[in-house]
Amino acid sequence: MTVTGTGNAPDVVDVVALGESMVTFLPTRPGRLADVPSFHRSIGGAESNVACALAAAGHTTRWVSRVGADGFGDHLVEAVGAYGVDVSHVRRDPSRPTGVYFRTAGDRAGDTHEVAYYRAGSAASAMSPAGVDLDAARAGRVLHLSGITAALSPDCLALMRELTAPRAGRPLISFDVNHRPGLWGEGQDPDVLLELARGADIVFVGEDEARLAWGLHGARAVREALPEPGIVVVKQGKGGAVAFDKDTDGPCEDADGTATFVRALHVDVVAAVGAGDAFAAGFLSATLRGLPVRDRLRHGHLTAAATLTTPGDLAPPPPRLLADRLAALDDPAWGRLRLGPGWTAADAEAAEEAPTP
């Protein structure tokens, strides 16, 4: 799939990311939220995470959203902007607060992990087709969206439907399903995520999410349920990820497109938070550069590994020369890689010689 520009307007950027970001409070020590005495302030948001990672990788990016006219809103705009992201189209809401959340230090998938969201009635939940600068949202080579936004309010869902609807000259639509069961209240149907995904050009979805949200089992079933997107990336956790690409001719081509699988890297995990956003950023960065699908998947894994080996939701991506060299390894060398904290500061030769598990 080739990314093309959307016009000659001076404000066109590589990637626009639209969605809610919140101020995140990270615990100073492990334990239950009830027992943690203090927290460090950070930022968190699936879409802005992607924008920040891509900006750090050298791409031009814009974040479109709403925040409160409060100190937390100031912090979010300043922190995201510090990555080099254009935040001039983030609107301030004088009557609604900026969302915040607290989480424990453990793995999100663990039984002891706790997250306390305070986002009901937030400024971002008031996003709508009339309350967002649609021209700014569409002025990118890629528009990155997430299923989280669809769950925030009926107006947010209407906005998502507007942005994923067929439209002449629209940007390439990237959609990360990001199914969060806790956001889907009574009467809300996560099947709407399937509808939105079918309107996208690139879709990211975890095999576990597809099973939970849609009752689908296996990567091939996911692709069969999403026949429209040019590329569907099904993430399979520690196993790896498979991309179905309709635009690539190859020996495995069928009605669902060429299936390309790349195993995940061996990583010494510090915190398993934000890896999915980092994977999407790495994949999109390689897509913008016109790299083949295998290398897009490998760049996704490498950018995710940078986040997995740091304690926060965001981490600087590996330098491009290092990432390109590692992505070009043959399959046996790729399989031997093991990455731990600090690996992005190492040179490529040292990373290649990392011990196998």
Side-chain angles (χ1 to χ4, degrees):
M1 176 175 293
T2 301
V3 182
T4 58
T6 60
N8 297 316
D11 60 344
V12 171
V13 296
D14 289 333
V15 178
V16 177
L18 180 148
E20 180 173 36
S21 293
M22 296 180 289
V23 173
T24 309
F25 290 94
L26 308 176
T28 54
R29 72 181 192 195
R32 303 182 311 152
L33 287 178
D35 301 327
V36 175
S38 58
F39 297 80
H40 292 300
R41 186 183 63 177
S42 183
I43 61 173
E47 301 84 2
S48 61
N49 283 350
V50 171
C52 290
L54 284 165
H59 299 282
T60 55
T61 65
R62 172 180 299 127
W63 174 46
V64 175
S65 189
R66 291 173 71 91
V67 299
D70 50 30
F72 286 148
D74 293 341
H75 175 63
L76 276 176
V77 172
E78 292 167 5
V80 174
Y83 280 86
V85 178
D86 173 15
V87 294
S88 62
H89 296 278
V90 177
R91 295 187 174 178
R92 310 301 294 266
D93 191 324
S95 60
R96 292 171 177 264
T98 303
V100 302
Y101 77 96
F102 297 76
R103 69 170 173 84
T104 50
D107 186 341
R108 178 179 286 161
D111 292 338
T112 61
H113 185 71
E114 297 174 74
V115 180
Y117 288 105
Y118 299 91
R119 72 194 311 173
S122 69
S125 69
M127 289 190 294
S128 69
V132 162
D133 187 338
L134 296 178
D135 289 337
R138 291 174 171 138
R141 297 170 64 194
V142 176
L143 171 58
H144 182 69
L145 306 168
S146 137
I148 293 172
T149 305
L152 297 181
S153 69
D155 281 343
C156 283
L157 176 55
L159 173 62
M160 292 290 287
R161 284 178 164 146
E162 169 70 22
L163 292 172
T164 57
R167 177 187 174 92
R170 77 174 194 178
L172 196 75
I173 302 297
S174 166
F175 182 71
D176 192 336
V177 171
N178 257 326
H179 177 235
R180 298 286 186 265
L183 290 178
W184 292 93
E186 186 176 352
Q188 291 181 299
D189 187 356
D191 276 353
V192 73
L193 297 176
L194 192 63
E195 168 202 332
L196 296 172
R198 293 181 68 176
D201 300 295
I202 300 175
V203 175
F204 301 95
V205 61
E207 206 169 62
D208 54 346
E209 320 181 84
R211 183 172 57 252
L212 181 62
W214 307 325
L216 299 175
H217 297 270
R220 181 67 62 178
V222 174
R223 180 45 156 171
E224 290 173 354
L226 295 170
E228 295 87 355
I231 295 180
V232 174
V233 179
V234 182
K235 297 174 289 183
Q236 299 172 318
K238 294 180 180 179
V242 59
F244 296 94
D245 178 15
K246 292 198 295 190
D247 292 349
T248 301
D249 294 328
C252 298
E253 178 120 22
D254 58 21
D256 298 323
T258 301
T260 303
F261 173 79
V262 172
R263 69 171 61 187
L265 293 161
H266 302 290
V267 178
D268 296 327
V269 176
V270 173
V273 178
D277 304 330
F279 182 96
F283 189 96
L284 291 176
S285 176
T287 299
L288 287 161
R289 296 170 59 201
L291 300 184
V293 172
R294 187 208 69 163
D295 290 0
R296 299 181 199 185
L297 289 167
R298 286 191 170 191
H299 277 275
H301 285 312
L302 288 163
T303 309
T307 294
L308 288 168
T309 51
T310 57
D313 289 19
L314 271 168
R320 182 171 291 183
L321 288 177
L322 172 60
D324 282 347
R325 179 161 180 170
L326 295 179
L329 293 174
D330 60 28
D331 288 343
W334 176 263
R336 289 193 298 270
L337 278 178
R338 181 163 190 161
L339 304 175
W343 74 270
T344 56
D347 59 34
E349 291 84 353
E352 287 182 45
E353 294 170 1
T356 56

